[in-house]
Amino acid sequence: MRYLLSLAALCVSALSLANASAPIPAFNRVFTVNCNKTYVVVPKDTCSNIGKAFNITTTNLRKWNPSINSKCTNLYIGQTLCMSPPTTSSSVIAPPQSTSASATTSAATTSAAATTTATSTISTVSKTTSTIVLSKPTDATQCTSDNDCPGVYCCNLFTKMCVLDPLNNICDIQPTTVVTSKTVSNSRTITTQVTSTVTPPPKSTPTHAPGLPGLTLNIENAANFCLFLPSSPGNKDGNNGQIDNDAIADSEKNAVVFCTTPNVNAPGARIFPDGFIKSATYQTNSAAGFVQIIGTMDRDAYSLSSKDGGGQYDNHGAGSPPKSSCSGYSYYVNMIEPNGNDFCIRCCQSYADCNAGRSAYGCNRVVPPL
């Protein structure tokens, strides 16, 4: 009997050791990119003037911010850039079952973190961050015409600030209007000028505060983008441990952000499960001011049901999920369709380009290929 007990204890010990050393999937971790120095892009910025201000080369700027393209033409207002070598920290998501389970997960974190550091470029060392903003003119003037503003931003001629104008009631409105008239009297031409003051247009304000951890999407290119997904595989945590046949629709209020890679503009995001993204096509309409990704996925990689007709995440109204956003854009619409292994996402400056009222139409209608 003593030998049987010893053998049983040895088996339990071996099983515990195996569980403790088993790597924790990336989708069960929250990732945050940290930099000792960061900078937030403002109107008129270029890679050259940013590099000069921080005394760094454009090569290092692109190296520390791999989302910047070779010609540095894809900067956007509000984008956070690393001005020093970035590091990535991660933390394990505690399971919802019990306190003891959480304790077990925490115990395994150190071992798993060590494994991650040894086998990948991800570092688990957290660093304090600080934000450095380049000096601006004391009058905070950003523009004198629309040519001074990037993309679809325009110049509010009343405030001299680059703003978004989704309702077309700000751009090209002059603070004053001069009307010139000429009359002929006794062979003399009389010129009269009348100046009238125009009522200032309304201020342009974002729908939500950007940058909330786990709720901020980011689209850079086909290799660097994010989507919303249920917080657990197959939404099992919200369906008594069983795969939810309506996982996408049932998680519209509590979904979290998953990305292809850790990104400073998507704080607190998770990483897609291995093999989840099968294909991705990046497209942009610079005139309208939106970017989009359409692609295919493997639903089995995240335990999504083939019976799941899908659903839509967006930030219209209160948001689904609430307070969600897409970095650098006013609106977004994101559809996941497990039954067809399809997904799509579009981030827009204009409400009309991210129409959230057509979820039943699917990706082909809501985010059609360009």
Side-chain angles (χ1 to χ4, degrees):
M1 179 64 71
R2 182 190 311 166
Y3 295 109
L4 290 176
L5 290 175
S6 298
L7 182 60
L10 181 62
C11 291
V12 171
S13 177
L15 181 60
S16 299
L17 181 60
N19 289 336
S21 59
I24 297 175
F27 63 79
N28 277 343
R29 288 180 171 275
V30 171
F31 291 85
T32 300
V33 177
N34 296 312
C35 321
N36 284 337
K37 296 179 181 179
T38 61
Y39 173 66
V40 179
V41 175
V42 298
K44 300 184 183 181
D45 272 344
T46 64
C47 284
S48 178
N49 66 26
I50 294 174
K52 289 179 181 178
F54 284 88
N55 195 29
I56 62 175
T57 64
T58 54
T59 299
N60 278 338
L61 182 63
R62 288 197 296 267
K63 178 181 178 181
W64 299 336
N65 301 275
S67 64
I68 299 178
N69 62 29
S70 59
K71 295 183 180 180
C72 193
T73 57
N74 62 337
L75 297 179
Y76 58 85
I77 295 175
Q79 181 180 12
T80 298
L81 300 178
C82 286
M83 296 294 104
S84 60
T87 60
T88 302
S89 61
S90 67
S91 59
V92 177
I93 302 166
Q97 287 83 359
S98 65
T99 304
S100 59
S102 298
T104 302
T105 302
S106 298
T109 301
T110 303
S111 175
T115 302
T116 302
T117 303
T119 59
S120 71
T121 57
I122 295 176
S123 168
T124 56
V125 179
S126 299
K127 292 189 177 182
T128 303
T129 62
S130 61
T131 300
I132 299 176
V133 179
L134 298 181
S135 60
K136 300 179 182 179
T138 55
D139 62 356
T141 297
Q142 293 182 343
C143 60
T144 56
S145 72
D146 291 348
N147 293 332
D148 296 329
C149 301
V152 295
Y153 284 76
C154 70
C155 187
N156 184 330
L157 298 176
F158 290 81
T159 63
K160 306 297 183 184
M161 303 290 285
C162 291
V163 298
L164 296 173
D165 187 18
L167 301 180
N168 296 317
N169 60 353
I170 297 176
C171 292
D172 301 321
I173 297 179
Q174 299 288 337
T176 58
T177 300
V178 178
V179 178
T180 302
S181 62
K182 294 183 179 181
T183 59
V184 178
S185 177
N186 296 326
S187 299
R188 291 192 309 163
T189 301
I190 303 174
T191 301
T192 305
Q193 289 188 337
V194 178
T195 301
S196 61
T197 302
V198 180
T199 302
K203 292 183 179 180
S204 176
T205 57
T207 54
H208 296 297
L212 295 179
L215 291 171
T216 307
L217 296 159
N218 187 59
I219 296 180
E220 303 286 359
N221 50 53
N224 191 342
F225 66 92
C226 309
L227 302 170
F228 274 104
L229 289 173
S231 61
S232 62
N235 198 36
K236 293 179 183 178
D237 289 350
N239 195 44
N240 298 318
Q242 303 297 314
I243 293 179
D244 187 353
N245 287 338
D246 294 306
I248 306 304
D250 290 343
S251 66
E252 287 182 354
K253 296 301 180 183
N254 54 20
V256 294
V257 170
F258 285 72
C259 300
T260 54
T261 185
N263 191 306
V264 69
N265 290 290
R270 306 184 193 181
I271 301 300
F272 290 121
D274 289 341
F276 181 76
I277 300 296
K278 305 304 292 183
S279 68
T281 301
Y282 171 87
Q283 297 177 319
T284 180
N285 184 325
S286 57
F290 66 76
V291 294
Q292 65 184 39
I293 298 281
I294 53 177
T296 60
M297 64 187 186
D298 179 3
R299 57 177 174 259
D300 295 332
Y302 199 55
S303 300
L304 297 174
S305 171
S306 61
K307 299 177 182 179
D308 192 339
Q312 177 177 292
Y313 308 109
D314 61 72
N315 66 335
H316 294 225
S320 295
K323 298 185 178 180
S324 56
S325 64
C326 182
S327 178
Y329 294 86
S330 297
Y331 306 99
Y332 82 87
V333 58
N334 173 198
M335 302 192 72
I336 307 293
E337 300 171 331
N339 60 340
N341 272 327
D342 300 314
F343 71 84
C344 58
I345 181 171
R346 178 183 286 185
C347 295
C348 317
Q349 304 292 15
S350 170
Y351 180 93
D353 290 323
C354 280
N355 194 325
R358 300 177 179 174
S359 60
Y361 293 160
C363 280
N364 287 336
R365 292 280 296 275
V366 177
V367 186
L370 300 180

